[in-house]
Amino acid sequence: MTLDQATFDRHGLTTDEYDRIVKILGREPTVTELGIFSVMWSEHCSYKSSRLHLRRLPTKGRHVVQGPGENAGAVDIGGGLVAVFKIESHNHPSFIEPYQGAATGVGGIIRDIFTMGARPIALMNSLRFASMAQPATRRLLEGVVAGIAGYGNSIGIPTIGGEVAFEECYAGNPLVNVFCLGIGRADALVKAVASGVGNPVFYVGAKTGRDGLHGATMASAEFDERSMEQRPAVQVGDPFMEKLLLEACLEAMRTDALVGVQDMGAAGLTCSTCEMGSRGGSGIDIDISLVPQRETGMTPYEIMLSESQERMLLVVKRGREAEIERIFEKWDLHAVKIGEVTSDGLLRVKINGRVVAEVPNHALTDEAPLYDRPRARPAYVDDVHALDLARLDTSRDAGQVLRELLASPTIANKRWIYRQYDHMVRTNTLVLPGMGTGVVRVKGASRALAMSLDGNGRFCYLDPRRGAMLAVAESARNVACAGGQPVGATNCLNFASPERPEIMWQFSETIDGIAEACRALDVPITGGNVSFYNESGATSAAAALGCQTEGVCIYPTPVIGVVGVIEDSSRTIARAFREGGTTIVLLGESRLELGGSEYLKAVHGMVRGTPPEIDLAAERRLLELLVQAARDGSILSAHDCAEGGIAVALAECCFDSGGMGAEVDLAAASPLPAEPPVFPVGPPVFGGAPGAASALGRESGAPGAAAAPGAPRPVADLPEGVALVGTLFGESASRAIVSATAAQLPEVLRLAQEKQVPARVIGRTGGRAIRISVAGRRVIDLPVEQAESIWKSALAQYYDKAAAKRAE
């Protein structure tokens, strides 16, 4: 058949790719075959722009049981058990239809976990939106949160935490990344493979409809003026159906009747059949007239490409069909034989015995296009690195600045969000949302699992490699602050169009940053997701939702999920100070590092400078210290220093503590005389990506031209106000605040010396105010009750004010 350009565009195929299809088949494709190739060769399914780079990630380690290539990764957590986990994106569907886009994102990631034979026990999410001042943002956030809650609460899996950030660049393209973790037996993991000639292929779960058609190709293109017409490409979820499917599948997996299982996720029946066949080196014949359908007149094209939710494909051992059918009938579900495994390696699709598609499985999977796309360092980088700190207006009262930061939506407490989630269902949750890193107990064992999601698009915009390293480090540090030994990681890589050389440079740099940090911290990547084309190609699509956007790309936003093991669940640590009169210790070294900080954005409206430097060896020593201190019972609480710096971290340690305050002096004498001062007055040592040294020289306050590489302006040469805000609100990496009793303190300091981690006693808990001095001068004196009220009510106030305005 002859195809015009509109048909190519609709299927997301290039003319070269079409010619390649014709060569593979030795003929022109049928309409159904064209649809099959279009979804399997889409960016979303084939990773054709990213596979070349993803190979550089470390994927093996002593704890890794299953790495990338299956539905989810798995790590050994001891006692014959594995933690199975993964993160996925549902960005574009959530923009078009916020509730269902987010809800089906939750449903999809849950299926990835129980498809492996693991029972899901925890959900988390990482979200990005534009300014809360925009009505469109509030509507999107409200819909997304309702969708996450509606699905997770209904199916009975707790959402135990996550992270949310707000930047203008996400106005036309919010990010909705969902993480799920489950527990299974190491010797009972189920793979997504089809093998054994003559073994029957079963369709189980919900009926197929027209929802979700071309969802994979929709997720592989930027938004334009036609995006709002793609609502049929957004699936509709049913969490109650998924609960039945989960229980039926897990029961079936406890038999030995299954060969392989795969979720019908992106690309639906097409993806599950050809991928299972390809992994097993087999072919699959199916007759789609046997597929349960909830709509009449569906074509083969529509049946193969539908992304209706709550469906799975099973390969069953021949002779065991009746056993599997009885299990699914018990759960009131469809279990229908639609085909069988063959030896010819072909995906053969029939309808009432007539062949409508016949394609080699390996051509759809292993032989999908692989592109080494051009890369170019963006022109903006040199400009945004320039930051003259000496010119900052630092005359504002530090206490007022702290109030503003606590009210900043990115820093503010996310209670308005997580109170909508059921976080206690199944009674495994040990650390409640908002109290620190998410932790769940492993029932039947003494262990617990800590998990964290982190990413900073602002840092990655300024320096993708260093920003990615910082994301890995912060996620691992959060896990260690709970007492968890990091054992594995997953990632969701959110970027704009890979067809832009500048975006591919960002992506490649990010991969190298993740790889370096994961190797240094011994947290291999077990799987993940790449989401490209996160940009608004035209303003009209965004304008349809009221978004004020200029059609821009999102910041490069890698989200890193790290999982850690706490050997004794009773030793789990949270962020809040627990007792009055305990000693507060700052672990790690602080520098004057304000580049990309929340302070610069919230107070000065600037996204400039370079991200904090990161010494991965020092980070690993800090992680080891935190894990050992928690395991030994040497600390009462732990909280990492991140957005907003030490001042915000100290305030957060006081929140949810019953109003307990703290008195701190950030220039207090060190109990370890061999260590340098907390805030060095000599020139700090900088490192990182090429060109970073000169940029950091500018950030250190040198007016005019950049300082020579390796010779940044000494901190002592800066105005006093700059040094003060750097001390309070700088975001240097590899730092944590811990509290310890008088009896515990010597062991904390001994461990710090053993691990070569700078440690400073900076104050004590007690009173009802957050009092921070610098070099003996009180600069912040803020009642805990007032500060906590600001922090906890900031997000809700946007909705309260909007409601009040509508009522006027």
Side-chain angles (χ1 to χ4, degrees), residues 610-783:
T610 52
E613 66 170 289
I614 174 77
D615 180 339
L616 292 170
E619 183 72 48
R620 182 160 181 170
R621 293 195 298 271
L622 175 62
L623 302 184
E624 292 171 354
L625 187 160
L626 289 166
V627 172
Q628 186 170 338
R631 183 175 60 237
D632 296 346
S634 300
I635 53 178
L636 294 177
S637 67
H639 186 38
D640 84 310
C641 295
E643 292 87 358
I646 291 176
V648 167
L650 281 167
E652 289 175 340
C653 290
C654 294
F655 301 155
D656 298 297
S657 67
M660 185 187 309
E663 182 138 4
V664 166
D665 191 324
L666 296 179
S670 170
L672 299 177
E675 295 296 329
V678 179
F679 301 100
V681 293
V685 178
F686 295 107
S694 61
L696 283 160
R698 286 195 292 272
E699 181 180 324
S700 294
R713 185 79 169 211
V715 175
D717 289 355
L718 289 168
E720 181 183 358
V722 173
L724 176 64
V725 297
T727 298
L728 297 170
F729 309 117
E731 296 181 7
S732 294
S734 309
R735 297 183 300 168
I737 293 171
V738 301
S739 64
T741 65
Q744 293 170 325
L745 182 60
E747 179 60 14
V748 173
L749 299 181
R750 186 198 67 77
L751 276 175
Q753 194 163 32
E754 176 186 306
K755 301 293 185 183
Q756 297 181 305
V757 174
R760 294 287 181 167
V761 171
I762 59 173
R764 296 177 70 79
T765 62
R768 312 299 290 181
I770 302 162
R771 294 189 172 97
I772 302 176
S773 299
V774 176
R777 180 168 67 90
R778 179 75 53 79
V779 292
I780 292 175
D781 192 339
L782 187 61

Side-chain angles (χ1 to χ4, degrees), residues 377-391:
R377 188 173 185 267
Y380 76 81
V381 172
D382 289 331
D383 174 62
V384 297
H385 276 184
L387 173 60
D388 189 352
L389 294 180
R391 296 181 181 177

Side-chain angles (χ1 to χ4, degrees), residues 1 17 21 60 76-77 197 219 354 389 413 434 445 524 543 593 647 651 705:
M1 62 180 173
E17 288 171 346
I21 292 169
K60 299 183 184 301
D76 183 3
I77 60 172
V197 175
R354 176 174 60 88
L389 294 180
N413 180 261
E593 294 179 301

Side-chain angles (χ1 to χ4, degrees), residues 480-530:
C481 280
Q485 175 63 55
V487 293
T490 182
N491 57 52
C492 197
L493 309 177
N494 305 276
F495 287 79
S497 171
E499 298 168 42
R500 302 174 186 262
E502 296 81 5
I503 302 304
M504 282 310 299
W505 178 85
Q506 291 176 338
F507 185 81
S508 180
E509 289 288 295
T510 295
I511 292 296
D512 287 339
I514 293 173
E516 185 176 351
C518 285
R519 288 192 179 94
L521 302 182
D522 193 21
V523 280
I525 297 292
T526 64
N529 172 242
V530 177

